Amino acid sequence: MEVSAVPVAAAAAVWLAAGVRLAVTDLRTGRLPTRLIWPAAGIVWALYATASLVRAEPDGLIGAALGAAMCGALMAAVHFVHPPSLGFGDVRLSVLNGLLCGWWGWQVALAGLAAGFVLALPEALVVLARHGLRESRPLGPYLLAGAAASAGWAAATRGLVPAG
């Protein structure tokens, strides 16, 4: 295993640990605590920065920054256009997920965001049919699952440290 893969694997493990806690919390309370999201994002960023320094190649770190910014901006736009449809915790979570997935490119980050919505669609349709527009369900677990699928696919097909 390449030396720079160790901090990337550690970043994924940190994200996974935080993600499990966030998913459980969101399912129980309907909230995604900031006190869990930002520290996890800081640790993931620091580990990616370490991997980039070891490699002497900034592409992964730049992709992570772009992925976080793009996913966060898209979700913030939805939140500010229609606040009841999307909580700001989901916006913050999308920044963390975009950061994780962006290591493999901003496209992977956007794919992870899209995958989260695709995974949420069946339950959303059932809830809509049964309860109408008044009912809502947590989106966080789906966003996390989409990011996990996207990052997992990228890591499996490109490696933990893609060739520059």
Side-chain angles (χ1 to χ4, degrees), residues 6-162:
V6 172
V8 174
V14 166
W15 176 87
L16 181 61
V20 168
R21 178 78 188 268
L22 287 163
V24 169
T25 302
D26 198 17
L27 288 169
R28 286 184 179 164
T29 68
R31 303 240 182 257
L32 290 162
T34 304
R35 71 179 186 279
L36 294 175
I37 294 172
W38 291 141
I43 294 167
V44 169
W45 178 261
L47 289 165
Y48 279 173
T50 301
S52 290
L53 286 171
V54 168
R55 290 184 74 206
E57 176 63 55
D59 288 351
L61 195 58
I62 292 168
L66 286 173
M70 293 172 82
C71 290
L74 285 170
M75 294 291 276
V78 171
H79 172 77
F80 289 122
V81 166
H82 192 253
S85 65
L86 186 71
F88 207 75
D90 295 315
V91 175
R92 289 187 290 266
L93 178 60
S94 294
V95 172
L96 173 60
N97 289 346
L99 181 66
L100 173 82
C101 295
W103 175 257
W104 292 274
W106 61 266
Q107 303 91 335
V108 177
L110 291 180
L113 182 61
F117 281 99
V118 169
L119 290 169
L121 186 60
E123 182 186 16
L125 292 173
V126 168
V127 169
L128 182 63
R130 286 185 178 170
H131 304 287
L133 294 173
R134 293 179 305 275
E135 185 73 22
S136 67
R137 295 288 301 141
L139 182 60
Y142 294 109
L143 294 175
L144 289 158
S150 187
W153 178 262
T157 58
R158 301 180 190 177
L160 282 176
V161 183

